[in-house]
Amino acid sequence: MAVVLQAGAELATSLQDLAKRHLWLHFARMGAYEHQEVPIIVRGEGCYVYDEHGNRYLDGLSGLFCVNAGHGRTELGEAAARQVEELDFYTLWSYAHPRAIELAARIASLAPADLNRVFFTSGGSEAVESALKLARNYHRLRGNGQKHKVIAREIAYHGTTLGALAATGITELRSQFEPLVPGGCHVPNTNLYRWPEDRHPLWAATAIEERIQFEGPETVAAVILEPVQNAGGCFVPPDGYFERVREICDRYDVLMISDEVICAWGRLGHYFGCDRFGYVPDIVTVAKALTSAYAPMGALIASDRVAEPFMHGDESFAHGFTFAGHPLASAIAMSNLDVFEREDLCGHVLAREGEFRQMLETLHEIPIVGDVRGAGYFQAIELVKDKETKEGFDDEEAEELLRGFLSAELYKRGLICRADDRGDPVVQLAPPLIADSEQFEEIHDVLHDVLGRAWKRVRR
């Protein structure tokens, strides 16, 4: 039964009590908080956040790969306040408003080639869901209505809505909600660390062609890939991978979707991750750092070719979201991109990523560190039991290592990052794009100590 708190009673009730009674955290084991505190973050400034007790943490995950411009940018809030004075809200369902128009034009000006048509959403899963629906509808309008399947990579995360979940390649995220939307097919990822030394570098790209042939090209609508795959720990592509995938998609009339919910907006040192690796997709999905997470917002960006069938006569893309392209979110996004341009955040990442990566490479001296990989300000450390054989951890060992020790210890030491086992155990780091030598040194000191102690626990 819900309880309505009176003012006096509310003041007497701590945030912890309220959180434990009423707040349902995402992707969290709520039972874990029965005997320990919920981490409550109350303030942010630059690369740091502070909890309710006044403790400071280096936000080595940028919130969730999204506060790219850093915390406490009051100019973004001021942009929202100015927008409220002009227009608080209007929908994009058959209407338009100035900020959405301006933002769409600005995004198109930054996107590669002919990706000129911007369809706004409220977040990343919605952007992927929209892209998958668009791919199906595009083929149907061209007389290829059987094309409905989507090919994605194993362990890849593409969102939590049922359509996006069909593309997501993480079994434990899918199993609770099956049966899923039909059509999701999966192929090997590019975890080069786990490949045999004699494997052809374009093997994983060839696997996409083989899966298209197996499913039947007349049934495959799209291939969806991240420039650097998040889940599993920042899998980078081998040279020529995306060029080969582009060729395959063109050969079989399959749309290429670049899922850049994480990789866009400077995370890899470019506005779009596809620019980093030199390929041009048919659709790009974005969210998160489009506003540096100061407001929820996402989008798909479609090429003129993909948009063209919907731009004439009585055709329409019968899809949308009430709050997509919200005036306040659009105004914040415009201000956020002003920050990117004024401070050249993409250039900063390209200039400093070498130092960031070199710092992480020094951790190889710790026996538990098997691999360091990633690009830009998006890096991962894979943990192993035996560096020579690359032996990993079983499920019970990974549970004890990550949740029983690493996650809590890193947080206790003042570093927020991701210790994850979707695949082999990894520690992921994605600091705000303003991070510099001072923050790199802090990250090193914490990781060196905590990973060293983790190795001693492993060897007990």
Side-chain angles (χ1 to χ4, degrees), residues 109-129:
S109 73
L110 296 171
D114 70 337
L115 279 93
N116 289 315
R117 188 66 66 164
V118 180
F119 184 95
F120 287 113
T121 69
S122 301
S125 290
E126 288 184 2
V128 170
E129 192 87 9

Side-chain angles (χ1 to χ4, degrees), residues 48 58 355-356 359 413 436-448:
Y48 301 92
L58 174 55
E355 180 184 348
F356 183 33
M359 175 275 290
R413 285 293 309 275
D436 214 322
S437 301
E438 178 183 351
Q439 286 74 42
F440 301 158
E441 185 176 342
E442 288 183 49
I443 291 170
H444 172 271
D445 290 347
V446 173
L447 288 178
H448 194 278

Side-chain angles (χ1 to χ4, degrees), residues 14 193 238 380:
S14 72
Y193 179 65

Side-chain angles (χ1 to χ4, degrees), residues 113-389:
D114 70 337
L115 279 93
N116 289 315
R117 188 66 66 164
V118 180
F119 184 95
F120 287 113
T121 69
S122 301
S125 290
E126 288 184 2
V128 170
E129 192 87 9
S130 301
L132 299 180
K133 290 178 73 174
L134 176 59
R136 287 188 177 194
N137 210 355
Y138 166 79
H139 288 297
R140 181 170 284 108
L141 288 180
R142 297 173 66 245
N144 300 317
Q146 282 188 291
K147 280 183 169 285
H148 69 283
K149 296 175 183 175
V150 59
I151 294 176
R153 295 186 288 198
E154 294 167 355
I155 314 178
Y157 176 84
H158 293 290
T160 54
T161 54
L162 280 176
L165 197 56
T168 291
I170 304 170
T171 301
E172 55 269 31
L173 297 188
R174 296 159 54 92
S175 58
Q176 294 184 40
F177 309 104
E178 293 176 332
L180 303 177
V181 175
C185 309
H186 294 88
V187 295
N189 56 50
T190 61
N191 184 359
L192 308 182
Y193 179 65
R194 293 292 174 183
W195 285 13
E197 290 185 5
D198 60 351
R199 176 167 286 171
H200 192 281
L202 296 185
W203 167 78
T206 300
I208 293 174
E209 181 171 32
E210 291 172 350
R211 188 60 189 259
I212 291 173
Q213 292 171 337
F214 175 80
E215 297 294 332
E218 72 281 0
T219 71
V220 179
V223 171
I224 184 168
L225 309 166
E226 297 164 279
V228 174
Q229 182 175 315
N230 171 37
C234 299
F235 299 154
V236 296
D239 291 343
Y241 174 84
F242 281 111
E243 180 180 286
R244 174 82 172 110
V245 173
R246 178 73 269 180
E247 293 171 353
I248 292 167
C249 289
D250 290 341
R251 178 176 302 123
Y252 296 100
D253 188 25
V254 170
L255 295 184
M256 184 180 185
I257 302 171
S258 189
D259 182 0
E260 305 204 14
V261 170
I262 289 175
C263 290
W265 314 121
R267 180 57 54 192
L268 306 184
H270 298 263
Y271 281 107
F272 295 95
C274 57
D275 287 334
R276 169 116 186 189
F277 297 107
Y279 66 96
V280 178
D282 300 296
I283 300 171
V284 175
T285 56
V286 298
K288 291 187 183 291
L290 174 55
T291 63
S292 281
Y294 282 57
M297 192 174 216
L300 73 79
I301 312 161
S303 69
D304 289 336
R305 177 174 71 91
V306 171
E308 194 276 335
F310 301 92
M311 298 298 143
H312 308 286
D314 58 1
E315 298 296 346
S316 72
F317 183 37
H319 176 64
F321 305 96
T322 299
F323 299 119
H326 194 290
L328 271 67
S330 299
I332 290 171
M334 291 290 283
S335 182
N336 179 55
L337 292 177
D338 288 343
V339 171
F340 268 72
E341 291 183 7
R342 185 171 63 247
E343 300 183 16
D344 188 19
L345 293 185
C346 291
H348 179 74
V349 170
L350 291 176
R352 310 306 280 177
E353 68 171 320
E355 180 184 348
F356 183 33
R357 178 59 173 265
Q358 186 177 13
M359 175 275 290
L360 295 175
E361 294 283 0
T362 66
L363 298 173
H364 272 297
E365 68 185 31
I366 305 171
I368 201 172
V369 174
D371 191 32
V372 176
R373 56 180 177 256
Y377 276 23
F378 189 35
Q379 304 283 339
I381 301 165
E382 183 169 328
L383 308 179
V384 295
K385 282 168 57 173
D386 188 309
K387 188 172 295 195
E388 294 300 318
T389 65

Side-chain angles (χ1 to χ4, degrees), residues 28-36:
R29 300 176 181 179
M30 295 304 294
Y33 302 112
E34 290 179 353
H35 305 294
Q36 65 184 43

